[in-house]
Amino acid sequence: MEFEPVIGLEIHAQMATQSKIFCNCSTEFGKPPNANTCPVCLGLPGVLPVLNKQVLEYAVRLGLATNCTIRLDSQFARKNYFYPDLPKAYQISQFDRPICENGWLNIDVDGQTKKIGITRIHMEEDAGKLMHGEGEGDWSYVDLNRAGVPLLEIVSEPDLRTPEEAKAYMEKIHSLVCYLGISDGDMEKGNLRCDANVSLRLTGQEEFGTRTETKNLNSFRFIQQAIAYEIVRQREELLDGNEIVQETRLWDSDKKITYSMRSKEEAHDYRYFPDPDLPVPHIAQDWVDSIAASLPELPDAKRERFIHEYGLRPEDANVLVAEQSVADYYEEVVAHHANPKTACNWVIMEMGRVMNETRKSIQELGISANHLAELIGLIEDNSISGKMAKTVFEEMLQNPQAPHAIVESKGLKQISDEDALGRQIDEILNNNPAQVEQYRAGKTKVLGFFVGQIMKATKGQANPQVVNQLLKQKLDS
Ligand code: ADP
Ligand code: MG
Ligand code: ZN
């Protein structure tokens, strides 16, 4: 029996607004508990929520960037449930009239492009936070600083089939919200997180199997690992003849397992109904059009442009455009006349490696685009070898300065001058007549010996290509 995984993600993105969604409390992170609260977000009686227009605009931006239909008369609804972190005992969300619907985006996995449907994007408020075992006494405390912080929930169609596709989809959403400037996308802080719905069905079968929902995955790696784990777990259950229980699960990132949080016994009746306190925000098509016109160049378009303008391979262009700051930096390097393909390699391989190791942004590495372009120029005109360039690069990371200054102070200049090298080669050939004999008798391997001698004599500065070529010329003549 073979099974096919079916995966759909519900992503929550915290909007990067100054104030909350229905009051003017600050959204600033790290304030003392309940410092950012007011009667509205505390849920006191007799107050009225007022929609933050910025949230509406951000939702429209994301909807346009993901090919959604924008609803001009979307509606807020109350989602009723009881939990101590929810002061009103309902969350203001959207139900049957969400702001964005029927969109899609493309993901790239293993060189294949796949279209993933987006069911809907809606606006809602975040809940507060419970603190257990902190503070005085055997009490649980409630911090409502986060209550009313604006979120967009992005619901995908069940179009994903592998953990890798799910990860690529999440990366695309991350990239988009950052490009659009609507969220900082900081997954470690939980500002972008997702719930992964996973089910299996027999290969070839039409209808979906029973799914589980693993909540609050806040890293690309966790998404991939948790889904992979669920696929294996469900497969074993099914092969054992058991049924999958529809339930909510959590990811234990230490043990690398998912575990049951609650079964769907509630089958949640949220008793949604339109929120009578919030008028329908009628928006004008003109306003939507002006937002559409103001969108920046998005990752897919940038990728196509990079492929055509700079002759890059699609997979390299993908890496460059994932983060706007990296893409911008790359273009700046090229604008300083660096060879586009060499620049691409340096940004992806060398700078990418250091960014991963140090967890710094490309700007924080402290190497100006100008300097990287100069370094690439030195390689291209054979002033330094690729190996020397890496030494210079390491030095630039330690101490930001122009590459030519490092080349001079370290005496790294590559010698490509044929006359100078020719004289050195003549001397070495004269001093080693036995080896010259061997070479001429057909033992061409001694060429390596001569190259080594010249490298030694020039302290590694001789251009190996020129040396090889000159040596052969002289020995074969
Ligand atoms: P709910 O709001 O109860 O979680 P939805 O119908 O809105 O349920 O679906 C939530 C997510 O689950 C969507 O991303 C959807 O694509 C996905 N999904 C729905 N059915 C399945 C299934 N059988 N297997 C995997 N994912 C599913
Ligand atoms: Mg759900
Ligand atoms: Zn408030």
Side-chain angles (χ1 to χ4, degrees), residues 181-201:
I182 65 175
S183 171
D184 69 6
D186 189 334
M187 297 181 73
E188 267 174 37
K189 282 200 189 131
N191 295 350
L192 186 70
R193 53 191 191 259
C194 90
D195 306 337
N197 295 270
V198 179
S199 66
L200 296 186
R201 63 178 169 188

Side-chain angles (χ1 to χ4, degrees), residues 10 153 195 197 211 213 215 264:
E10 294 164 273
E153 176 170 340
D195 306 337
N197 295 270
R211 72 184 143 121
E213 179 176 350
K215 285 255 182 226
K264 268 253 150 120

Side-chain angles (χ1 to χ4, degrees), residues 55-280:
V55 177
L56 191 59
E57 185 189 329
Y58 283 1
V60 172
R61 274 200 221 177
L62 184 59
L64 291 169
T66 53
N67 311 291
C68 286
T69 307
I70 308 298
R71 191 188 290 271
L72 300 180
D73 61 346
S74 82
Q75 187 168 53
F76 286 97
R78 292 186 181 179
K79 179 178 179 178
N80 300 277
Y81 65 92
F82 181 77
Y83 204 68
D85 67 5
L86 191 69
K88 300 188 295 293
Y90 60 83
Q91 177 194 27
I92 305 178
S93 181
Q94 297 195 291
F95 184 51
D96 54 351
R97 285 160 66 183
I99 180 76
C100 314
E101 278 174 302
N102 300 323
W104 54 268
L105 54 71
N106 280 333
I107 57 168
D108 290 276
V109 176
D110 296 334
Q112 302 276 345
T113 300
K114 184 171 168 181
K115 189 168 166 175
I116 306 299
I118 290 178
T119 317
R120 55 188 274 145
I121 301 175
H122 67 253
M123 300 173 277
E124 62 184 27
E125 56 178 345
D126 207 345
K129 194 175 124 199
L130 295 182
M131 300 159 83
H132 308 288
E134 289 172 58
E136 278 169 53
D138 190 17
W139 293 86
S140 287
Y141 291 82
V142 189
D143 175 7
L144 294 175
N145 282 349
R146 217 174 56 189
V149 163
L151 301 177
L152 291 184
E153 176 170 340
I154 306 138
V155 182
S156 85
E157 288 289 300
D159 289 346
L160 301 157
R161 292 291 172 268
T162 64
E164 292 68 35
E165 287 182 8
K167 175 168 170 273
Y169 172 79
M170 187 68 170
E171 284 171 344
K172 197 58 169 281
I173 293 286
H174 178 261
S175 185
L176 282 175
V177 298
C178 293
Y179 265 74
L180 295 166
I182 65 175
S183 171
D184 69 6
D186 189 334
M187 297 181 73
E188 267 174 37
K189 282 200 189 131
N191 295 350
L192 186 70
R193 53 191 191 259
C194 90
D195 306 337
N197 295 270
V198 179
S199 66
L200 296 186
R201 63 178 169 188
L202 281 173
T203 309
Q205 177 183 306
E206 186 81 33
E207 76 256 39
F208 294 148
T210 305
R211 72 184 143 121
T212 63
E213 179 176 350
T214 303
K215 285 255 182 226
N216 279 329
L217 299 166
N218 70 338
S219 89
F220 298 124
R221 195 159 40 93
F222 293 166
I223 290 168
Q224 195 174 356
Q225 290 174 335
I227 293 172
Y229 178 86
E230 262 312 278
I231 292 171
V232 171
R233 188 189 68 82
Q234 291 186 17
R235 185 167 181 277
E236 282 171 5
E237 291 286 354
L238 292 171
L239 289 175
D240 284 348
N242 299 326
E243 287 192 348
I244 301 301
V245 185
Q246 180 166 354
E247 61 184 356
T248 304
R249 299 177 72 87
L250 290 175
W251 170 244
D252 182 328
S253 59
D254 293 326
K255 294 194 190 132
K256 296 194 171 34
I257 57 166
T258 67
Y259 61 95
S260 180
M261 176 171 107
R262 57 168 189 239
S263 65
K264 268 253 150 120
E265 92 274 338
E266 314 108 80
H268 268 317
D269 180 5
Y270 290 121
R271 294 171 293 124
Y272 279 101
F273 64 88
D275 193 313
D277 288 346
L278 282 157
V280 170

Side-chain angles (χ1 to χ4, degrees), residues 20 22-25 36-42 147:
K20 293 186 178 181
F22 300 121
C23 60
N24 31 20
C25 288
N36 295 342
T37 56
C38 74
V40 173
C41 55
L42 289 174

Side-chain angles (χ1 to χ4, degrees), residues 277-295:
D277 288 346
L278 282 157
V280 170
H282 285 283
I283 56 182
Q285 186 61 46
D286 280 358
W287 187 59
V288 175
D289 294 343
S290 72
I291 294 171
S294 75
L295 294 185

